[in-house]
Amino acid sequence: MSSEAQTPDSDLLTDSDQQVQEPHLYKVILLNDDFTPMDFVVKLLVDVFRKSTAEATRIMLNVHQQGRGLCGIFPFDIAETKVALVNQHARGSGYPLKCTLERA
Ligand code: TYC
């Protein structure tokens, strides 16, 4: 019999050892400002968050009226990438639009 076959029980992976941890989720929040054009915000929501034009318009108007609004909920790496894309596009176009992360 090989040594592998005699592995003590304590070396075996049990269900509790193998429990998969769900990744923490993060809310991507868009903030209002007085300068970024509405159509620019809608286009970003379509391009970065894959929203329909109707949904992007709804989110943009909600942010415009409420001061902030939810764009989506994602694992950290994806949320961080989307925030960076929004902030880069806004800065590259000379607008002060801001997007941020919050633990969901
Ligand atoms: N308040 C902006 C305007 O009147 C539009 C706007 C909406 C800006 C949402 C940012 O996240 C934003 N042009």
Side-chain angles (χ1 to χ4, degrees), residues 30-33 36-38 41 60 63-64 97:
L30 193 61
L31 304 177
N32 189 36
D33 66 74
T36 307
M38 291 183 173
V41 179
M60 182 281 296
V63 173
H64 176 69
L97 179 68

Side-chain angles (χ1 to χ4, degrees), residues 60-77:
M60 182 281 296
L61 285 174
N62 178 56
V63 173
H64 176 69
Q65 287 160 1
Q66 304 297 320
R68 52 188 270 138
L70 181 65
C71 302
I73 300 179
F74 309 95
F76 182 77
D77 287 1

